[in-house]
Amino acid sequence: MTRLRIKDIKVIQKNKSDGCYEIVFYDNRIIKMHKRRTIPALLTLIKYGEGCESDLTNATDNLEKIKNELHGRIPGNLILDSYSDANKPFSELWNEEGFVFIKNPIGEKRLGSQKYVLDFQDHEKLFNATKKAKRKQPNKVTQIEIMKIQKGLCNFCGSKIKPAKDIHHNVFAKDRVRLVWDHRVPVEKGGSSETENYQGLCFYCNKCKWQICNICDLSADACLSCALGYIEKSSIISPTKEDIKDRINRQL
């Protein structure tokens, strides 16, 4: 069983025909990636076997080391210097890319954040074709309808939210202002893209929800009574049993 290494990568490029990114190795095997920001997360796991949110920020020199090691073999803008929502690239390896064999052991931390693990015995599985979850935003009519119901506020914290294009770059607490469309029942658990399964959240609350949903191993039925799915019905988070009543300020 061959263990993959960064030095074995020939080139990382975008395939114009299907829009996917390709990690091409010198033996001409290819790992297909659907999202650009998941690439540095996977490279981190290939290099070290484990990784976390801090590895994709300025808290470590991980990104710099990877870019130096791949110098001349990747486009200059492929890997950023730092990622603001650095947990998502790791969690999306499972949810979006379909690499379900990557582990995120509940309760295990690395540098204070959730730890993700890729066993070298699973490296060969990276070359298998994967199918990402079908995720899409609500259409314009549905967006207006939902925001009318929510009075233009985050469904959790009550902050006034708006699309990123309408936010000044110097706005205070931007993550509390930026609108994100969230699937109440995650698409990874079979959640639909129908109107009733959407809610508008601020970027910060959406990130906090994602971090919990990512470690939840309960069935989709549990989402229906979970505060993160239906804050209108409950203030209890199903997988952790935490009551978040003190952090709810919906004002609806």
Side-chain angles (χ1 to χ4, degrees):
M1 185 174 295
T2 303
R3 182 170 186 165
L4 300 178
R5 302 181 188 279
I6 301 297
K7 67 179 182 180
D8 299 324
I9 295 174
K10 180 179 180 180
V11 67
I12 302 179
Q13 60 192 8
K14 189 170 186 179
N15 187 315
K16 294 181 180 180
S17 64
D18 61 11
C20 290
Y21 291 91
E22 298 178 336
I23 302 178
V24 184
F25 288 79
Y26 282 110
D27 60 6
N28 292 322
R29 290 186 300 168
I30 298 174
I31 297 174
K32 288 275 191 177
M33 307 286 289
H34 298 93
K35 305 189 76 170
R36 188 176 75 170
R37 70 181 179 186
T38 60
I39 295 173
L42 181 60
L43 294 176
T44 298
L45 295 179
I46 289 175
K47 185 175 178 66
Y48 299 108
E50 62 179 44
C52 71
E53 182 174 342
S54 296
D55 290 314
L56 301 188
T57 69
N58 292 325
T60 72
D61 60 357
N62 173 58
L63 291 174
E64 182 180 359
K65 285 183 176 179
I66 289 177
K67 286 195 288 186
N68 287 338
E69 197 165 350
L70 288 171
H71 181 69
R73 290 178 280 161
I74 60 173
N77 61 350
L78 181 72
I79 299 176
L80 303 181
D81 293 332
S82 180
Y83 292 79
S84 58
D85 191 14
N87 184 63
K88 269 197 171 182
F90 282 105
S91 59
E92 286 176 343
L93 289 172
W94 200 95
N95 297 316
E96 299 282 351
E97 302 293 355
F99 300 142
V100 296
F101 44 85
I102 290 176
K103 303 176 179 65
N104 56 335
I106 296 177
E108 291 192 24
K109 302 288 185 180
R110 170 178 159 80
L111 301 176
S113 302
Q114 173 64 44
K115 181 168 73 172
Y116 294 86
V117 179
L118 172 62
D119 293 331
F120 82 90
Q121 293 93 337
D122 291 325
H123 282 190
E124 292 296 320
K125 297 178 182 179
L126 294 169
F127 297 100
N128 296 333
T130 59
K131 181 180 179 181
K132 66 176 180 178
K134 289 186 176 181
R135 184 188 307 277
K136 64 178 182 179
Q137 290 194 349
N139 60 44
K140 294 296 182 182
V141 173
T142 300
Q143 291 181 21
I144 293 172
E145 179 183 342
I146 295 173
M147 280 295 94
K148 184 176 181 180
I149 294 172
Q150 294 185 197
K151 299 180 181 179
L153 307 178
C154 171
N155 206 33
F156 287 0
C157 70
S159 295
K160 186 174 181 179
I161 50 179
K162 59 183 71 175
K165 65 180 179 61
D166 297 332
I167 302 174
H168 190 275
H169 69 280
N170 284 331
V171 71
F172 175 72
K174 185 182 294 185
D175 287 352
R176 287 289 193 185
V177 181
R178 177 181 162 193
L179 166 63
V180 176
W181 293 108
D182 174 68
H183 287 78
R184 294 174 182 266
V185 178
V187 294
E188 296 79 24
K189 293 193 175 184
S192 72
S193 291
E194 301 298 325
T195 301
E196 61 270 15
N197 197 43
Y198 286 114
Q199 61 182 340
L201 301 178
C202 70
F203 182 89
Y204 179 80
C205 285
N206 179 254
K207 177 182 178 180
C208 293
K209 180 194 174 191
W210 184 271
Q211 290 172 334
I212 298 297
C213 289
N214 189 53
I215 64 170
C216 177
D217 58 1
L218 301 177
S219 70
D221 291 340
C223 300
L224 304 180
S225 58
C226 179
L228 302 183
Y230 292 89
I231 197 70
E232 303 89 345
K233 300 178 182 179
S234 173
S235 63
I236 306 297
I237 297 176
S238 292
T240 63
K241 307 305 179 186
E242 180 184 5
D243 190 335
I244 59 172
K245 188 181 301 180
D246 59 318
R247 277 146 286 173
I248 300 170
N249 188 25
R250 296 177 65 241
Q251 303 175 3
L252 303 181

